[in-house]
Amino acid sequence: MKEKNEEDADANCHVRKIEQLKLAGFDPFPAQRFSPSHTASDILALDEAGLGQGVEVSLAGRIRSIRSSGKLCFVDLYSAGTIIQLMINHSVCPDAAVILPLLRAGDFIGVHGSITRSKRGQLSINTSSLVVLGKSIIDLPLSRISKNRFQEFGGVSDTGILRRSRHLELLNNPEVRHRFIQRSHIVSSIRRFFDQRGFLEVDVPIITPYYGGAAARPFISHVNSVDQDWFLRISPELDLKRLLVGGFERVYCLGSNFRNEDIDKSHQPAFTMIEWYQAWSDYEEQLLLFEELVEKLAVDFCGSPIVPFRNKSVDFSRPWKRIRVIDAVASAIKIPAEEIERWASDDDGELAMKLLFEGNNLSWDVSIPFDWGMCVSILFEELAEEDLSWDPVFIMDHPQSISPLTKPHRDGKLLYSERFEPFAGGMEIGNAYSELNDPVLQRELLEGDTHHGYAVDQHFLDAMDAGMPQAGGVGLGVDRVIQILTNTPHIQDVILFPMTRRLDESK
């Protein structure tokens, strides 16, 4: 690996070549646009159809390599994800004799010529004219990286380097490029799914005076114009419900949310979600819509509802399994669900729960009042979640006390809410409710909430007072679903520019 002064010398060499091109009368950064007639993929398609020979084309791209053989040069040109060979004869393209010695891999050129084949039978462009369209000042395709940022590209093991240098990874790794093209197509397919069912896509604010709709720590920013601290949205839920109040019966928002929390294989502080809300619906209907959507994505993009993920397979075939939260906990701790439920009202329920926590090495916070629902939620997360099936499963009917935006369960017990969380591939991939639309109860639950730490959104509560229709609402983690569909173990590798630690250039 080169030291800093050697790399500086390389950069200076490239800068000198820029000046030499200018002195020779060739602008390396021309203002006039170059309009390609074809991409390399287009030319490959013409050739495969037997229609390419002799066709005049123009194309632009990055040089990947230059090989000289007397007056004949061969250039591998990278165009829109595909490489094609250029044959350049100095007698046919005299400018090339001056230009090519001043170009390196990574520089941009535009060429005109005709489709042909070399003597060895390789598909090529017999180039008649060439123009420089841009120059890099580091060597590309990447063979080395600077001391702080790069090393031999083929052997980079530091994933942080790769993610910070996504542009270089995209140039050098066709699988990565394909993954992000797939991501774009999957997101478009999700939008079509809802558009075709009469949902309206809407934009809601990214920065808001309140935060809510999820239990999460927000990013805080001071808004100078109003001299207040506002929040990057952790969920669009409350604004979407205000639209239900306003008369829109089917709405969705697909975009970024922000939570100032963990970075790991399935978490990023900035991530993509879709949330949708449907009037005159409930969580049972939305459960069916959720599994329909994800199964369709699997079939459309993987060719089957069964997809590989982390050396296992996930079968998205409907119907998905359903398990109540309390039943999952009961199975994990080997205590009947009915007995755990009695702890919610028995005088000795708190003691029984405390002993259970201590027996499983779970911390017990004596500073907060006993909350049976919160305890059940912790037991699920710590003891039951890791044993869930790799195939999709709906975890149903969460405790009411931790679900303040959700209707109490129709069974009338008041312990549970009408809520589900789908899990697949070892990850939660969504969250859904029969939405609470009782304005008095909603205000009481939010203003009395001790778990979520909301700065209560008065705009939302005021809208609720005007009356919200019965509705089902769902959030789906787009990045996590794409992880599974593209068999990508780490969420950072399905996000083009994930959050990574900033390099300290002074070190």
Side-chain angles (χ1 to χ4, degrees), residues 1-3 6-11 13-14 104 137-156 161 165 168 172:
M1 187 169 62
K2 290 190 176 184
E3 296 297 330
E6 293 179 280
E7 292 167 354
D8 288 344
D10 279 352
C13 177
H14 287 299
R104 297 287 296 274
I137 59 171
I138 62 172
D139 291 337
L140 289 174
L142 199 59
S143 58
R144 58 187 171 288
I145 309 181
S146 74
K147 186 172 182 181
N148 285 331
R149 300 182 186 175
F150 313 108
Q151 46 193 310
E152 288 297 318
F153 189 85
V156 170
I161 289 175
S165 306
L168 300 174
N172 285 272

Side-chain angles (χ1 to χ4, degrees), residues 13 19-20 25 74 113 119 156 158 180 184 194 220 224 242 255 262-263 265 267 311 359 385 456 487:
C13 177
E19 296 306 317
Q20 289 172 328
F74 297 92
K119 289 183 178 180
V156 170
D158 186 335
F180 284 107
S184 181
F194 287 100
I220 303 172
N224 292 332
R242 291 168 67 190
D262 295 339
I263 296 178
K265 287 186 176 182
H267 292 87
N311 300 315
E385 186 175 318
V456 179
N487 193 14

Side-chain angles (χ1 to χ4, degrees), residues 210-218 231 234-235 237-238 259 261 368 371 373-374 377 381 398-406 417 419 421 431 433 442 444-457:
Y210 306 101
Y211 69 98
R217 182 186 304 121
F231 310 94
I234 62 173
S235 165
E237 175 172 350
L238 303 187
R259 299 178 185 179
E261 297 178 345
I368 61 174
D371 185 317
M374 177 58 71
S377 178
E381 292 173 1
H398 295 64
Q400 178 64 45
S401 67
I402 62 164
S403 308
L405 296 165
T406 313
S417 62
R419 174 182 174 187
E421 290 180 333
N431 195 12
Y433 312 149
Q442 184 65 93
E444 176 185 323
L445 289 175
L446 286 186
E447 292 182 343
D449 179 42
T450 60
H451 302 308
H452 296 76
Y454 295 146
V456 179
D457 188 339

Side-chain angles (χ1 to χ4, degrees), residues 473-484:
V474 187
L476 178 148
V478 173
D479 302 315
R480 291 182 183 178
V481 170
I482 291 173
Q483 269 188 266
I484 298 174

Side-chain angles (χ1 to χ4, degrees), residues 313-316 388-393 423-425:
S313 63
V314 181
D315 186 354
F316 286 115
L388 293 178
S389 165
W390 204 248
D391 288 334
V393 56
F423 285 77

Side-chain angles (χ1 to χ4, degrees), residues 217-463:
R217 182 186 304 121
F219 286 94
I220 303 172
S221 180
H222 190 78
V223 180
N224 292 332
S225 59
V226 295
D227 194 25
Q228 292 178 341
D229 286 342
W230 283 32
F231 310 94
L232 293 185
R233 77 176 179 212
I234 62 173
S235 165
E237 175 172 350
L238 303 187
D239 285 334
L240 292 174
K241 288 181 178 179
R242 291 168 67 190
L243 294 178
L244 292 178
V245 173
F248 290 103
E249 294 188 355
R250 297 187 180 205
V251 292
Y252 74 90
C253 176
L254 198 163
S256 294
N257 293 328
F258 308 88
R259 299 178 185 179
N260 196 359
E261 297 178 345
D262 295 339
I263 296 178
D264 58 31
K265 287 186 176 182
S266 58
H267 292 87
Q268 264 281 296
F271 60 97
T272 301
M273 282 188 65
I274 178 171
E275 290 202 22
W276 69 88
Y277 291 80
Q278 180 178 344
W280 326 123
S281 182
D282 63 5
Y283 81 141
E284 288 280 0
E285 183 177 19
Q286 295 309 311
L287 180 150
L288 300 177
L289 191 64
F290 193 103
E291 63 183 6
E292 179 187 356
L293 167 62
V294 180
E295 182 193 56
K296 176 176 170 53
L297 292 173
V299 171
D300 289 352
F301 289 94
C302 304
S304 167
I306 303 173
V307 302
F309 182 59
R310 292 179 180 168
N311 300 315
K312 300 181 184 179
S313 63
V314 181
D315 186 354
F316 286 115
S317 301
R318 293 178 285 168
W320 298 359
K321 188 176 182 180
R322 303 183 187 190
I323 303 175
R324 294 192 310 155
V325 171
I326 191 65
D327 293 330
V329 170
S331 177
I333 64 177
K334 312 302 182 188
I335 296 174
E338 295 77 12
E339 183 174 346
I340 301 171
E341 288 177 340
R342 283 197 297 271
W343 296 350
S345 56
D346 285 357
D347 291 339
D348 60 353
E350 180 175 356
L351 177 60
M353 193 68 81
K354 181 176 184 293
L355 292 173
L356 181 61
F357 268 54
E358 292 174 349
N360 286 280
N361 297 314
L362 302 176
S363 62
W364 182 268
D365 191 343
V366 298
S367 66
I368 61 174
F370 172 62
D371 185 317
W372 178 87
M374 177 58 71
C375 291
V376 169
S377 178
I378 293 171
L379 289 171
F380 171 77
E381 292 173 1
E382 298 294 334
L383 303 179
E385 186 175 318
E386 65 182 5
D387 294 328
L388 293 178
S389 165
W390 204 248
D391 288 334
V393 56
F394 289 112
I395 299 301
M396 309 283 294
D397 303 344
H398 295 64
Q400 178 64 45
S401 67
I402 62 164
S403 308
L405 296 165
T406 313
K407 278 189 174 179
H409 200 278
R410 63 193 70 183
D411 66 9
K413 288 184 178 180
L414 302 181
L415 286 180
Y416 303 112
S417 62
E418 297 208 341
R419 174 182 174 187
F420 70 77
E421 290 180 333
F423 285 77
M427 302 182 292
E428 176 198 336
I429 59 172
N431 195 12
Y433 312 149
S434 291
E435 302 294 342
L436 181 60
N437 64 334
D438 177 339
V440 176
L441 179 58
Q442 184 65 93
R443 185 177 293 273
E444 176 185 323
L445 289 175
L446 286 186
E447 292 182 343
D449 179 42
T450 60
H451 302 308
H452 296 76
Y454 295 146
V456 179
D457 188 339
Q458 294 298 331
H459 296 160
F460 167 64
L461 292 178
D462 290 346

